Amino acid sequence: ATSTSWDDIITMIENTSGFNLDLSLTAPEIILDARSYKNADLDIKLIDGVFNTNVRQVEAYGGQASGQVSINTNAKTPTASVQINAQNMLLQSLVSHLNMRDFISGTGGLDINLRTQGRTNADLFGNLNGQIETKTIDGALNGIDLSQIIQSVSNWRSGLALGNLTAGISPKAQTQFNGLVTDMDIRKGIAEVKTLEMSSPVAGFKGGGTIDLARQALNLNLTLRSDKTGSGNLKDLQINNHVLGVTVAGPWSAPTILPERTFLRNVIASEASGLIGDLIGTQTPNSNDAVSDVTNILGELLASQSPPEDDESGQDTQKTPAKEEIRDTALDIMGGFIRRQIEEEEEEEERKQEAEKDD
């Protein structure tokens, strides 16, 4: 069934001007918006365009919930607030009702405290403020295979930079977990994700970032974690002693997943300096300068690249650099350093020859 949007609700309440309602309701089942809510115990008041509901108890989406919902259409700009505490809810059912992509399944608890103002969905989400905390157990992330993503990033050497890690993203992909915790503060429609942590016996992630609720866009930085023994003792993954991170950015219906820039910069520099060492020996007088050059130049290259941002049309205004560009730049850096070493050796040889002539 199609969910009624918030702007439809605002309009509906505005159209009740002159109609008042004060109702205490206890019912074994309520059908609302083609959804069944059972064992409901609530108070409903509607007075001159001001709607208040106090839900002492209701069973919804397989769990239990309580809270308050207030909407005031008498103000110059309608206002709304929601406070909800829910436990043991089937998240796939809730997500489906909200017309969101079926990205998660499992049993979860929610603490929601939100307030906003506006007449349209865009305004209501864009003016959203408050807090949301969630805790989900025994579930799955749909459309993503975390193990494949970890493997893709770990095999970065096949190209010094990776594009979107599509190997781990498909409609049939899934990542099972036994815990998923989020904690976010919302200001003017932007959710600052303070905690985002998923765990399972073999893999997980932790991190944070931002979510643009009005534009449905993500900008998250995650540290990947794993336990090869499958005992759930997750540790941060590392390559060349650098923590393995990824950036998840773009529309939440189809985000781009890339190696995190700091990780990529550091690991490329380590790899490049290692290759240089193999070619010319690590004990050359300027080997430390070589590592510094590689790190600084690649750092400037990668630091200038920002996650994709959407313009008002929803199109990306910045593009992640092609992997060939970064790879070729790295090779140019190594080649330039080698050329510099050859030139220095030639200059030293010329000085020796000039010295011998003087003798």
Side-chain angles (χ1 to χ4, degrees), residues 171-184:
K172 295 182 179 180
Q174 190 177 74
T175 298
Q176 300 285 334
F177 62 80
N178 52 23
L180 177 62
V181 177
T182 65
D183 181 6
M184 62 186 77

Side-chain angles (χ1 to χ4, degrees), residues 316-356:
D316 290 348
T317 58
Q318 298 186 27
K319 300 297 183 182
T320 303
K323 58 186 178 182
E324 291 84 0
E325 177 185 347
I326 300 179
R327 181 189 62 218
D328 292 344
T329 301
L331 294 175
D332 287 343
I333 292 168
M334 289 186 287
F337 176 75
I338 295 170
R339 286 192 298 272
R340 189 177 70 182
Q341 295 299 307
I342 294 173
E343 291 170 356
E344 290 177 353
E345 291 174 1
E346 290 176 346
E347 291 173 358
E348 179 64 24
E349 183 64 26
E350 289 178 359
R351 284 194 294 270
K352 289 181 180 179
Q353 291 177 0
E354 290 294 331
E356 290 174 356

Side-chain angles (χ1 to χ4, degrees), residues 207-256:
T210 60
I211 302 174
D212 189 328
L213 299 173
R215 300 168 72 185
Q216 301 185 355
L218 306 173
N219 186 6
L220 304 173
N221 293 310
L222 306 177
T223 298
L224 302 181
R225 317 185 78 200
S226 72
D227 179 7
K228 294 181 180 180
T229 68
S231 61
N233 185 23
L234 301 180
K235 295 182 178 180
D236 294 351
L237 281 169
Q238 294 189 0
I239 293 179
N240 294 349
N241 296 319
H242 300 296
V243 174
L244 180 54
V246 296
T247 297
V248 183
W252 67 37
S253 60
T256 296

